[in-house]
Amino acid sequence: MRPVVWYISGHGFGHASREIEIINALRDRRPDVPIVVRTGAKRWIFDLTLRAPVDFQPVECDTGVVQIDSLRLDEAETVRRAAAFHEGFDARVADERDMLRSVGASLVVGDVPPLAFAAARAAGVPSIAIANFTWDWIYDGYRPERLGAPGLVGQIREACAQADLFLRLPMWGGFGMAPPEATRDLPLVARRSARDPRDTRRALGLPLDRTLVLLSFGGHGLKGLSPAAFQTLGDEFVAVITGHLEMSHAARSSRRGVVEFDEQGLYDGGWRYEDLVAAVDVVATKPGYGIIAECAANQTALLYTSRGHFVEYDVLVREMPRYVRSRFIPQDALFAGAWRPFLEGLLSQAPPEPADVTGAATAAGTILDWLDRS
């Protein structure tokens, strides 16, 4: 069977984690489908969470947004890197076209590098875009013309327009190039725990009678967090942190109201990150599609702070109350440790109706339909 070639943005964990869910759902139905993954994302997340092997090929297929840390980004450097990448875009398209032909690709799926769709069209291979935003929309928010890249947005939009089908996730923005007849809306794609939260707490040594707050700030960590963030929580709350969080030595060594996990150790023990999300009461984070969807799937409340001028932020903040209990905490309160009133206000909210999180199965079915027609 000819392979499906999957292009996945290397920006953050969200693009990779949701596409892994779709790949897993596809392989559950059709384990014989060969899959090639081309991405700049870290390999470890694939090795830990894919249920069947793929041909993993590291490649820079887009440049994303340049993060200074989890809560700050560099607009000028973001545009500079994107513009430099697209200066050589025609050569990149030609290289990917040749690769697609060499492996005999039957279909290209992209989340959501424009390179994927331009290369697929050049190779004569159909392509499907899956995302909650398109990169032209993101970069347009940084006004690249003022930074010396006036043609960047148009070039990205033109490349993305070459997709044959657009599977649009909730909390979306962009998609101005997507014809209505070629656009379908998906339910949430999210990682959902199959374990009982109380069983998870018992197995991991987490208290059953305390309110657990998981700090989830991605691979960049949360630098500069005061130890007072934990010491002022009181006896009711326990902070849960994993190995991806960067803190001062003082915060790490403070044992009051803190449980620490090595994330690799969790996976080695047969656990998944979504098991931890489901077991806690609150996730403290920055808004991103992946963590919002994961909290919705596991019915966990979300305490969020601002994250700089990320264009997606306003859409996520507007839409997330449909899916999760959510409350904003200013960064100064977050870093100072003044969490308690925000947590209490969050937990007093009534939960929304359970979200439809069947997006992975729906997307996998659509992809298999395309393969069956080819």
Side-chain angles (χ1 to χ4, degrees), residues 161-246:
Q162 297 181 68
D164 295 285
L165 178 66
F166 296 83
L167 299 182
R168 190 169 58 187
L169 291 164
M171 301 181 287
W172 60 268
F175 294 91
M177 80 296 291
E181 66 275 12
T183 303
R184 301 180 193 174
D185 286 309
L186 290 177
L188 287 172
V189 174
R191 302 186 297 186
R192 178 169 43 180
S193 176
R195 299 176 184 266
D196 181 276
R198 292 181 67 83
D199 290 343
T200 301
R201 287 196 183 200
R202 291 189 188 97
L204 296 179
L206 296 168
L208 297 176
D209 59 347
R210 308 279 287 280
T211 300
L212 303 185
V213 183
L214 173 64
L215 277 68
S216 182
F217 287 90
H220 290 277
L222 188 62
K223 300 174 183 177
L225 182 63
S226 167
F230 306 124
Q231 295 168 354
T232 61
L233 286 176
D235 293 334
E236 179 184 351
F237 296 95
V238 172
V240 180
I241 62 177
T242 69
H244 287 301
L245 186 70
E246 294 185 32

Side-chain angles (χ1 to χ4, degrees), residues 100-113:
L100 293 172
R101 288 174 175 171
S102 70
V103 301
S106 59
L107 179 67
V108 166
V109 178
D111 184 354
V112 61

Side-chain angles (χ1 to χ4, degrees), residues 89-90 93 114-123 125-129 155-166 177-179:
F89 195 68
D90 290 344
V93 169
L115 178 63
F117 316 114
R121 181 64 60 87
V125 177
S127 63
I128 299 176
Q155 188 177 17
I156 291 173
R157 186 174 293 133
E158 181 181 353
C160 197
Q162 297 181 68
D164 295 285
L165 178 66
F166 296 83
M177 80 296 291

